[in-house]
């Protein structure tokens, strides 16, 4: 039982390049989330998927797209990377979409955009 | 919109002593959840403790306990008998009862534990 896994762990991009961050969970959770964490700050929600087949914008969605590929996988895409997107990206999942549902986090992806 | 404020960017504590980390939040809702997460240097976010707003009793998990003051919108974390492994960044977070995907995090408090 690996929990929440993310690939890659590290990535360096040039401005304008695109890439997809992958996230998978093996806990049969319905809800999945993408957050970003900038230096010295807490996590901010980019997008979330309350259930398979649905996605919604969070606090900072501009410059990102997401795909809930199936119940296990939730990917985050940067179409044209910008230096302002340099951050650590965390994927999380929870059994349901209720406030009481514990969120389990992946180990994070450190992205640098030059 | 909900906001979460952690006014102490850094705290330090002597091993075996007790330390309290502060958190205040702003919301117009009456039902919600509050969380403390620990983020060690490995960056893994680990849930430390959770409090339901409708419960008056403060949550406790072993050496970790909270002081939840709903009227004051305050949610502090007390770590007793501090250990070297407690050194990490601690985040306070707020989640609504419904539409719960929209969690709000504070900016964190870095805790140093001195041997």
């Amino acid at each position: 039982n690996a929990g929440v896994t993310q690939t890659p762990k590290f990535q360096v991009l040039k401005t304008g390049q695109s890439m997809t961050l992958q996230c998978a969970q093996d806990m049969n959770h319905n809800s999945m989330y993408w957050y970003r964490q900038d230096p010295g700050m807490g996590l901010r929600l980019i997008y979330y998927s309350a259930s398979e087949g649905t996605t919604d914008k969070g606090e900072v969605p501009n410059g990102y797209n997401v795909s809930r590929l199936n119940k296990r996988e939730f990917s985050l895409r940067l179409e044209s990377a910008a230096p302002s997107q340099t951050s650590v990206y965390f994927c999380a999942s929870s059994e349901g979409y209720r406030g009481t549902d514990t969120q389990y986090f992946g180990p994070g992806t450190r992205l640098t955009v030059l | 919109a909900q906001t979460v404020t952690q006014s102490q960017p850094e705290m330090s504590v002597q091993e075996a002593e007790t330390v309290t980390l502060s958190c205040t939040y702003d919301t117009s809702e009456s039902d919600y959840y509050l969380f403390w997460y620990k983020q060690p240097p490995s960056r893994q976010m680990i849930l430390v403790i959770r409090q339901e707003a409708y419960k008056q009793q403060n949550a406790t998990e072993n050496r970790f306990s909270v002081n939840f003051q709903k009227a004051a919108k305050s949610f502090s974390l007390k770590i007793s008998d501090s250990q070297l492994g407690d050194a990490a960044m601690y985040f306070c977070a707020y989640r609504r009862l419904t539409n719960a995907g929209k969690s709000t995090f504070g900016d964190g408090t870095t805790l140093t534990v001195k041997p």
Side-chain angles (χ1 to χ4, degrees), chain A residues 37 42 45 97 100-101 105, chain B residues 39 44 50 91 95 99-101:
Chain A
Q37 183 181 26
L45 185 65
Y97 192 54
T100 188
D101 291 315
F105 288 83
Chain B
Q39 187 180 45
Q44 184 73 48
R50 180 176 74 187
F91 291 96
R95 292 187 78 186
N99 200 15

Side-chain angles (χ1 to χ4, degrees), chain A residues 7-24:
Chain A
T7 55
K9 286 186 169 52
F10 301 93
Q11 184 70 49
V12 178
L13 293 178
K14 294 181 179 178
T15 297
Q17 288 185 317
S18 63
M19 78 160 295
T20 299
L21 281 64
Q22 306 288 352
C23 174

Side-chain angles (χ1 to χ4, degrees), chain A residues 9-10 33 35 37 40-45 48 56-59 88 90 94 96-110, chain B residues 6 32-35 37 39 41-47 50 52 54 89 91 93 95-108:
Chain A
K9 286 186 169 52
F10 301 93
Y33 313 82
Y35 291 89
Q37 183 181 26
M41 296 181 66
L43 278 66
R44 291 184 293 168
L45 185 65
Y48 64 97
D56 281 290
K57 295 178 181 179
E59 185 183 352
V88 179
F90 288 95
S94 61
Y97 192 54
R98 299 158 297 188
T100 188
D101 291 315
T102 299
Q103 289 182 318
Y104 295 86
F105 288 83
T109 294
R110 184 178 295 277
Chain B
Q6 295 178 246
Y32 47 87
Y33 295 87
L34 297 165
F35 303 84
Y37 286 91
Q39 187 180 45
S42 66
R43 296 203 312 260
Q44 184 73 48
M45 293 287 285
I46 303 165
L47 177 65
R50 180 176 74 187
E52 291 87 346
Y54 62 87
M89 195 147 189
F91 291 96
R95 292 187 78 186
R96 300 172 64 178
L97 189 65
T98 57
N99 200 15
K102 298 183 186 296
S103 300
T104 302
F105 285 78
D107 288 342

